[in-house]
Amino acid sequence: MNGLLKLDRLDINILAHLQKDGRISNVNLADAVGLSPSPCLQRVKRLEAAGLILGYEAHINIVKITDFVNVFTEVTLTGHRREDFQRFEQGMSKVDELMECHLITGGYDYLLRFVTRTIEHYQEVIESLLDARLGIDKYFSYIVIKSPIMKNSVALKSLLNKGHRDRDVILSD
């Protein structure tokens, strides 16, 4: 599908509700956004077809299953050519323990988030990355002690509605 998809307040409201509860029934979603079920389902299907809804997933409460360590890692690469970044990102994409990888501005190149069994497990992962010669010059690790606030959804209404009545979204194939 090429072109522009016009998002109105109902579409944004649907997306916001689905972000918070992907298992909400169409009847309950329709009621929550002020539509009847059939038009609501049509809008959801249109948003899925447009690639705005990428999927639905379960959020697991890992604390109830096992102990784990969350580690943020700052990484600086030895080289800064396009192929250096590509080699690093390709290598990182194969690391099961890696949860997030962000190319950022500032004093280092990447901010990573790992989830491992223990600190020792994290060190094994880092050592294997160094052995893989992905271009890591230096890294700094930050062990998370507590995460008092974690959110799984973004504030769509705040991001999209500030001064805009409707929002055009460019779609790509």
Side-chain angles (χ1 to χ4, degrees):
M1 177 182 262
N2 271 336
L4 296 176
L5 177 66
K6 190 91 154 173
L7 290 183
D8 62 18
R9 65 172 183 75
L10 291 171
D11 293 324
I12 294 167
N13 210 3
I14 288 170
L15 292 170
H17 277 83
L18 286 174
Q19 254 191 146
K20 291 181 181 161
D21 182 5
R23 293 185 60 177
I24 189 171
S25 71
N26 183 58
V27 171
N28 289 341
L29 178 60
D31 186 51
V33 300
L35 286 173
S36 59
S38 181
C40 183
L41 184 59
Q42 289 173 351
R43 283 176 179 257
V44 169
K45 296 293 184 194
R46 180 175 58 95
L47 294 167
E48 289 173 344
L52 296 176
I53 297 173
L54 298 176
Y56 302 89
E57 61 189 37
H59 297 282
I60 307 300
N61 188 352
I62 193 72
V63 173
K64 293 188 177 244
I65 299 171
T66 188
D67 291 330
F68 66 96
V69 177
N70 235 328
V71 183
F72 286 92
T73 306
E74 299 171 349
V75 171
T76 301
L77 300 182
T78 53
H80 291 95
R81 297 180 320 263
R82 177 178 291 163
E83 54 268 16
D84 298 321
F85 293 107
Q86 289 172 339
R87 180 178 68 238
F88 178 78
E89 291 172 13
Q90 185 177 26
M92 294 309 297
S93 70
K94 299 172 185 161
V95 179
D96 289 338
E97 295 85 354
L98 181 69
M99 302 304 293
E100 298 176 34
C101 175
H102 306 277
L103 176 63
I104 60 172
T105 63
Y108 50 95
D109 299 316
Y110 286 91
L111 179 63
L112 311 175
R113 183 172 72 91
F114 294 92
V115 174
T116 61
R117 292 183 310 276
T118 61
I119 294 170
E120 292 80 13
H121 178 206
Y122 167 74
Q123 188 60 35
E124 290 170 12
V125 171
I126 286 295
E127 289 172 2
S128 71
L129 293 174
L130 294 171
D131 290 343
R133 304 213 187 279
L134 299 176
I136 298 173
D137 180 36
K138 58 186 171 187
Y139 70 94
F140 297 96
S141 305
Y142 303 92
I143 309 296
V144 174
I145 295 170
K146 180 180 175 183
S147 300
I149 300 171
M150 289 184 62
K151 298 179 181 179
N152 292 319
S153 59
V154 296
L156 283 176
K157 292 177 185 178
S158 297
L159 292 174
L160 297 177
N161 283 338
K162 183 129 182 152
H164 298 285
R165 207 168 154 80
D166 288 327
R167 179 82 179 169
D168 290 331
V169 176
I170 298 173
L171 303 178
S172 59
D173 290 331

